[in-house]
Amino acid sequence: MNPAQDCKTKTVLITGASRGIGKAIAEAFARLGYQLILTCHHSQEALALIKEDLEKRYGVKCRIMIGDIGDYSFVEELFSSVDKLDVLINNAGISHIGLLSDMTPAQWHRIIQTNLDSVFYTCKFAVPLMVNRKSGKIINISSVWGSCGASMEVAYSATKGGVNAFTKALAKELAPSNIQVNAVSCGVIDTDMNRCFSTEERKALIDEIPADRFGTPEEVANVVLSLCDTPSYLTGQIITVDGGWI
């Protein structure tokens, strides 16, 4: 079986796939012929259009589910019809900008559930599928704020630091089963999440980045793909994609 044919027998699950990095990752895997399972929380119409587009252009099968990935019952339902999974991409995430003292417990728990609990839930169901076959890749989308922290983004930074630690620990747990767990730590990527910044704020950010620009979702997607094609000895790594910023 050649590599192209092999990809057509593989399945990838991508959370938060309706836009930005998740959408770019979905297209990158579709281009290789992977079968897709895509989720998002609210954007049913957008995700349906992505499904239609990828199936038409690349001839892949694409299943979509709308729901809260930070809700255990939704993830349980999502995996109820999954009997084989080669790659899991934990991309879903939300941000919160503001003083910690102004943050409500509800806001805190919401970001923890979406950014960190969801990674536990998806891995809880994906790992047995991979262990049974002694094969699999888990890639978590993280942030540079997970390692150095960001003022006014304490909750977001805490979740991404948690994702990094989760990645390293689970990689050790699953290495004997030939399952690789890595994370991609993103700098400023040109997505909707970062379009909250004013023109002046964007320019100030770019001035700090040696690459002199924001990254693109497609660049992150290419790094994710490369992690699916690395030797099995590469695991437990946090790969930083930030244009030399941090």
Side-chain angles (χ1 to χ4, degrees):
M1 181 178 287
N2 65 44
Q5 290 174 324
D6 186 47
C7 286
K8 292 183 183 300
T9 69
K10 291 185 176 181
T11 301
V12 57
L13 190 160
I14 305 165
T15 69
S18 66
R19 60 181 182 171
I21 292 171
K23 180 181 178 182
I25 293 172
E27 179 162 359
F29 276 96
R31 192 180 300 119
L32 289 181
Y34 276 73
Q35 309 309 304
L36 308 171
I37 303 170
L38 309 179
T39 79
C40 73
H41 193 179
H42 298 296
S43 306
Q44 182 169 358
E45 183 177 350
L47 200 59
L49 288 173
I50 292 170
K51 165 184 165 68
E52 180 181 356
D53 177 55
L54 296 181
E55 288 182 335
K56 181 178 180 180
R57 284 199 289 151
Y58 300 109
V60 298
K61 292 181 181 178
C62 181
R63 180 164 73 91
I64 63 174
M65 280 194 70
I66 309 300
D68 182 0
I69 201 68
D71 180 348
Y72 182 81
S73 62
F74 170 73
V75 180
E76 186 175 35
E77 179 186 0
L78 171 66
F79 275 88
S80 65
S81 58
V82 179
D83 56 11
K84 175 180 174 292
L85 188 65
D86 298 281
V87 182
L88 169 63
I89 310 294
N90 283 306
N91 170 70
I94 57 175
S95 64
H96 178 93
I97 299 176
L99 294 171
L100 178 69
S101 56
D102 292 336
M103 192 175 197
T104 67
Q107 289 171 324
W108 170 268
H109 288 299
R110 182 66 198 141
I111 197 167
I112 294 291
Q113 289 165 357
T114 301
N115 295 7
L116 188 54
D117 288 354
S118 64
V119 178
F120 161 58
Y121 296 156
T122 57
C123 288
K124 177 177 171 59
F125 287 101
V127 165
L129 298 174
M130 294 178 175
V131 167
N132 286 341
R133 300 174 59 243
K134 300 292 184 183
S135 176
K137 308 279 187 179
I138 297 172
I139 300 171
N140 301 317
I141 305 303
S142 185
S143 165
V144 293
W145 296 145
S147 56
C148 61
S151 174
M152 305 284 284
E153 293 190 66
V154 172
Y156 181 80
S157 299
T159 62
K160 294 306 183 178
V163 167
N164 291 348
F166 182 102
T167 298
K168 289 179 174 290
L170 188 61
K172 293 179 179 179
E173 187 173 317
L174 297 180
S177 297
N178 191 40
I179 298 164
Q180 292 75 57
V181 187
N182 293 291
V184 177
S185 177
C186 299
V188 186
I189 308 300
D190 197 10
T191 65
D192 289 346
M193 182 181 287
N194 290 319
R195 290 188 184 123
C196 60
F197 299 117
S198 67
T199 300
E200 292 76 17
E201 288 170 330
R202 288 171 67 90
K203 184 180 183 303
L205 272 173
I206 289 173
D207 287 344
E208 295 178 4
I209 301 170
D212 200 33
R213 63 178 176 84
F214 288 178
T216 68
E218 290 73 22
E219 287 174 312
V220 178
N222 286 336
V223 173
V224 169
L225 281 186
S226 72
L227 285 173
C228 290
D229 194 35
T230 55
S232 61
Y233 208 61
L234 194 156
T235 192
Q237 301 306 302
I238 313 300
I239 309 300
T240 302
V241 182
D242 68 354
W245 183 30
I246 301 300

